Amino acid sequence: MNPRATLLISDLHLDPARPAITSLLLKFLERPARQAEALYILGDLFEAWIGDDDDAEPGRTVAAALRALTDAGVPAYFLHGNRDFLLGERFAAASGVQLLPESVVIELAGEPTLLLHGDTLCIDDEEYQTFRAQVRHPAWQAQILALPLAQRRALAGQLRETSRQAGLQKAADITDVNLAEVERVLRAHGVRQMIHGHTHRPAIHEWRLEGQPARRAVLGDWQEPQGSVLRCDASGWRLERLFGTP
């Protein structure tokens, strides 16, 4: 990767059961990310995050690696996904990442660009949107975080299995973004560029919106033996693959 690009990743779903993905991230943070202008993590860094008071791996190791990156002068930013929405200020302080709101407009090569996880664009999945509204409510989160760690771990496992089973029963178009919603959100923010993850359908889409060129990049998920990175610089946007050891 050329130096001074802005790099964006999402949907790593780090989990003790998938150590190769954690290793791939650590190599990425030690090497190509050190040459970046900035790193943005657009949610679902972890498969589950049950609270900043959980010191289980891979959270500690990843926090330390991100701290090494930010201490080296590369700013790192994080916005929440649907798996790690309980990640908070304690993790941010340990890792050096800056927490972002669930949608934010930044400048990329001089162009205003909207960043978000992407799950809010999947409005055809009404069941998920109802669930999302529940778990993002501050009262629900406070109630969950008050539970002992063991209970939270069990609850996270139950929610993951429920999500997996629900996904198997839904048509592919239901779990993808709604294109009319994409355009509505772009208009609402006054931008013509968007980057998100969540759907695990990596691609760069270009079209015309109200007569103007529009662009939407979808970040890929990380599955052994490879990861997915979006590289943005003055020459354009490119989805690149990272490879680990087979």
Side-chain angles (χ1 to χ4, degrees):
M1 293 183 181
N2 294 328
R4 311 319 296 168
T6 295
L7 304 179
L8 301 99
I9 60 176
S10 73
D11 299 282
L12 286 77
H13 296 274
L14 298 177
D15 186 274
R18 301 200 309 156
I21 298 299
T22 300
S23 296
L24 183 56
L25 172 64
L26 297 179
K27 292 177 182 177
F28 167 72
L29 295 176
E30 290 170 358
R31 297 170 189 170
R34 292 292 179 98
Q35 305 302 318
E37 182 74 23
L39 171 66
Y40 287 84
I41 305 169
L42 303 190
D44 285 4
L45 175 60
F46 298 98
E47 173 67 5
W49 191 262
I50 61 173
D52 288 359
D53 57 332
D54 184 10
D55 61 355
E57 295 291 3
R60 288 180 297 174
T61 296
V62 171
L66 286 167
R67 169 57 73 178
L69 177 72
T70 56
D71 284 350
V74 180
Y77 304 89
F78 174 89
L79 62 80
H80 297 95
N82 56 295
R83 299 283 187 173
D84 48 20
F85 53 83
L86 291 177
L87 188 147
E89 295 290 347
R90 183 168 165 182
F91 180 88
S95 64
V97 303
Q98 301 177 51
L99 299 182
L100 298 175
E102 66 177 33
S103 60
V104 62
V105 175
I106 67 167
E107 292 287 323
L108 276 181
E111 293 291 332
T113 305
L114 177 64
L115 307 182
L116 66 168
H117 179 59
D119 56 336
T120 55
L121 303 171
C122 302
I123 60 172
D124 295 322
D125 190 346
E126 296 179 358
E127 180 183 21
Y128 169 73
Q129 294 301 331
T130 298
F131 171 76
R132 186 186 190 280
Q134 174 190 351
V135 300
R136 291 303 184 97
H137 195 285
W140 185 93
Q141 294 186 6
Q143 181 180 12
I144 294 302
L145 290 172
L147 296 173
L149 277 171
Q151 283 186 252
R152 278 181 267 158
R153 289 192 184 101
L155 178 60
Q158 293 170 10
L159 291 176
R160 286 199 303 272
E161 180 59 21
T162 299
S163 175
R164 188 185 71 83
Q165 292 292 339
L168 293 174
Q169 299 172 19
K170 293 175 182 176
D173 59 336
I174 294 296
T175 57
D176 201 357
V177 302
N178 179 292
L179 296 180
E181 179 68 4
V182 167
E183 294 191 345
R184 185 196 70 78
V185 171
L186 285 170
R187 287 193 210 93
H189 286 86
V191 300
R192 292 295 181 267
Q193 295 191 154
M194 171 190 291
I195 301 172
H196 68 84
H198 181 65
T199 64
H200 302 185
R201 294 171 169 92
I204 297 177
H205 305 275
E206 295 183 340
W207 75 104
R208 298 191 73 80
L209 176 60
E210 298 175 341
Q212 299 296 318
R215 180 164 51 169
R216 175 173 67 97
V218 186
L219 306 179
D221 61 324
W222 290 40
Q223 292 285 347
E224 190 178 353
Q226 70 181 35
S228 177
V229 180
L230 179 68
R231 179 181 182 274
C232 300
D233 59 21
S235 65
W237 292 5
R238 284 169 296 283
L239 280 166
E240 300 180 345
R241 291 184 292 176
L242 299 173
F243 290 96
T245 303

